[in-house]
Amino acid sequence: MRLPRRLFLAAGIGFLGCKRTYRVGEFVLVQWEEAAYPAYIVEAKTNGRLRVHYDGYDTRWDEDVGPERVLGLAKQPVFRPPPPEKVRRLEGNLGSTGAASVTPPSPYRVGDHVKVRWRGSVYGASIVAVISNDRFLVHYDGYESAWDEPVGLERIVARRP
């Protein structure tokens, strides 16, 4: 039995139109106002939405985005456009009143070896990326990168040699 050529054409177009699915911990470019900003995916939400943390920004700017705003994986080196207008406006207002928050330095750096709590057990891991001063992308020793995940300070038990 021969299938109509239109069916193959429609299936091909449908396949090409599929968006890539992204995983927690991936470094991506996200449309934020008028530019593409590098961000880490920190959580997968329902309906295909993703929680992202913009690289170099405070966690208060984290947001849930739809897949249409994720432009693809970010490659190093990453171009970082100037902050969006709403960030400049808020940061400018805080600065003029003297109430700007000072972000404490991160206690860990890329390459640091740590112990991480996961489901009641503790595993050796390495810091792969610093997402913010209190959030890190870790790689578990002896496991493939599919297990890499962002963790907060509350899950890091200790530094290890």
Side-chain angles (χ1 to χ4, degrees):
M1 176 173 140
R2 284 189 66 181
L3 295 174
R5 288 178 63 160
R6 287 185 198 171
L7 182 62
F8 284 115
L9 182 59
I13 290 171
F15 177 74
L16 291 174
C18 291
K19 284 250 181 199
R20 180 190 190 287
T21 56
Y22 295 97
R23 295 186 346 221
V24 170
E26 287 188 310
F27 192 46
V28 295
L29 290 174
V30 176
Q31 184 73 34
W32 190 16
E33 289 190 5
E34 300 299 319
Y37 289 84
Y40 288 94
I41 297 173
V42 294
E43 185 179 352
K45 299 286 202 169
T46 58
N47 298 329
R49 295 186 65 78
L50 302 166
R51 181 84 175 163
V52 297
H53 170 77
Y54 294 103
D55 190 34
Y57 289 85
D58 190 85
T59 55
R60 69 178 157 188
W61 299 108
D62 291 3
E63 66 176 333
D64 297 344
V65 300
E68 71 282 353
R69 287 186 50 202
V70 179
L71 305 176
L73 293 174
K75 306 276 190 247
Q76 294 291 346
V78 174
F79 169 74
R80 287 182 173 78
E85 179 59 33
K86 63 183 175 185
V87 175
R88 288 193 304 264
R89 192 172 46 250
L90 180 62
E91 296 298 328
N93 289 344
L94 289 176
S96 65
T97 63
S101 62
V102 177
T103 304
S106 172
Y108 300 104
R109 290 191 228 169
V110 172
D112 284 353
H113 299 284
V114 293
K115 293 181 180 179
V116 178
R117 187 174 27 257
W118 188 78
R119 295 192 178 181
S121 296
V122 176
Y123 296 87
S126 298
I127 304 290
V128 177
V130 176
I131 297 172
S132 66
N133 65 337
D134 62 350
R135 198 154 178 80
F136 310 90
L137 180 64
V138 298
H139 172 78
Y140 292 101
D141 299 342
Y143 292 87
E144 61 186 43
S145 60
W147 290 99
D148 293 3
E149 68 170 334
V151 299
L153 281 174
E154 72 282 354
R155 290 194 40 211
I156 298 178
V157 177
R159 192 180 300 270
R160 61 183 182 86

